[in-house]
Amino acid sequence: MSVDDGQLDRAFAALGDPVRRAMIARLSRGPATVNELAEPFPITTQAVSRHIQVLEAAGLITRTRDGQRRPCHLVPATLEALTSWIDEYRLETERRFRRMDAVLNAMKEQEQ
Amino acid sequence: MSVDDGQLDRAFAALGDPVRRAMIARLSRGPATVNELAEPFPITTQAVSRHIQVLEAAGLITRTRDGQRRPCHLVPATLEALTSWIDEYRLETERRFRRMDAVLNAMKEQEQ
DNA sequence: CCTATATTCAACACATCGGTTGATCAAGGG
DNA sequence: CCCTTGATCAACCGATGTGTTGAATATAGG
């Protein structure tokens, strides 16, 4: 809820880039401006600005205004939507594996 | 562990495509062949075959052999690596938010 | 054997991505 | 006011992604 399929597309794809993942990691420790986020990377501020736009379009961050700065803030709810999606299928798979194990064990019992 | 950064790149990027996410959903209910996975989509089997290769390269699935079939199996451990990555930063952010709330409440106390 | 089925490989078209440079806009500070 | 700083817009480029068609490979099965 609150994230449609297109948002899932954009959010997962956004996390597929190591630069953007590093930005997420940085933002988990507090808000940061474009220049602050750009600092660790050997790329132009423009490139970073576009990475930020991608993260914003994905709903992974929001932006506020502080004079001429545009600080970025992580949105944990969107991260949570991603883990929820993944966990749904991971848990189903693990349940299935456990059922399969049970069947195999039962067959082993039978054999003896 | 067991998944390097390149794997994270590939796995997150792989989930950025709705066709591949649908395949993951399908595979959570049990193994499936290329043709079975292709059935719901209006694309060629070749295209599906390449989606499968992408999922395999990302470590999200493995493949076995059954005669001329090549069944796909979901790898829950890789899904778990993704949720672990996300949760690390989501939880850090939420902790930070709670600390901030505490400070704000303390300031409110002070005022009275 | 010969043929049908399951899957993959190869070559191509087209869109998107991630970077660049150069120009522009907006807010602050002497 | 002007000039600097923070950020973005626009145009371009090479690489990658996703689909197609057509050919190839491999196993199954009469």
Side-chain angles (χ1 to χ4, degrees):
Chain A
M1 327 21 51
S2 92
V3 254
D4 58 276
D5 266 30
Q7 288 275 347
L8 275 188
D9 287 359
R10 288 187 283 273
F12 276 124
L15 294 183
D17 185 294
V19 170
R20 288 191 290 259
R21 278 206 310 284
M23 290 175 171
I24 294 289
R26 163 65 186 80
L27 289 172
S28 75
R29 297 197 298 277
T33 67
V34 176
N35 279 326
E36 284 164 356
L37 287 172
E39 197 272 325
F41 304 104
I43 60 178
T44 61
T45 332
Q46 290 95 313
V48 171
S49 183
R50 288 210 300 201
H51 278 301
I52 290 173
Q53 288 172 32
V54 170
L55 290 171
E56 191 177 20
L60 287 166
I61 66 171
T62 57
R63 314 194 63 181
T64 52
R65 183 163 277 290
D66 169 29
Q68 59 190 142
R69 320 271 167 73
R70 307 288 312 280
C72 303
H73 309 259
L74 205 46
V75 178
T78 304
L79 291 176
E80 210 263 332
L82 299 187
T83 56
S84 290
W85 188 93
I86 296 173
D87 279 344
E88 179 176 347
Y89 302 109
R90 177 177 66 86
L91 295 174
E92 176 59 32
T93 304
E94 287 171 350
R95 277 192 294 273
R96 189 163 48 78
F97 280 11
R98 276 193 293 276
R99 283 197 298 272
M100 215 176 63
D101 273 0
V103 169
L104 289 180
N105 284 336
M107 286 172 62
K108 233 176 182 176
E109 284 291 311
Q110 192 94 4
E111 243 168 43
Q112 294 170 351
Chain B
M1 357 231 268
S2 89
V3 253
D4 59 276
D5 267 31
Q7 289 276 342
L8 274 188
D9 286 359
R10 288 186 283 272
F12 276 124
L15 295 184
D17 185 295
V19 170
R20 287 191 290 259
R21 278 206 310 284
M23 289 175 171
I24 294 289
R26 163 65 185 81
L27 289 172
S28 75
R29 297 196 298 277
T33 67
V34 177
N35 279 325
E36 285 164 358
L37 286 172
E39 195 271 325
F41 304 105
I43 61 179
T44 62
T45 327
Q46 291 95 315
V48 170
S49 181
R50 288 211 299 201
H51 277 301
I52 289 172
Q53 287 173 32
V54 169
L55 291 171
E56 192 176 20
L60 288 165
I61 66 171
T62 58
R63 314 192 64 182
T64 52
R65 183 165 276 289
D66 169 29
Q68 58 190 143
R69 319 270 166 72
R70 306 289 313 280
C72 303
H73 310 259
L74 205 46
V75 178
T78 304
L79 290 176
E80 210 263 332
L82 299 186
T83 56
S84 290
W85 189 94
I86 296 174
D87 278 345
E88 179 176 347
Y89 302 110
R90 176 175 68 84
L91 294 173
E92 177 59 33
T93 305
E94 287 171 350
R95 276 192 294 272
R96 189 164 48 78
F97 280 10
R98 276 194 292 278
R99 283 197 297 272
M100 216 177 61
D101 272 1
V103 169
L104 290 180
N105 286 334
M107 286 173 60
K108 231 175 182 177
E109 283 292 309
Q110 190 94 2
E111 242 169 42
Q112 293 171 353

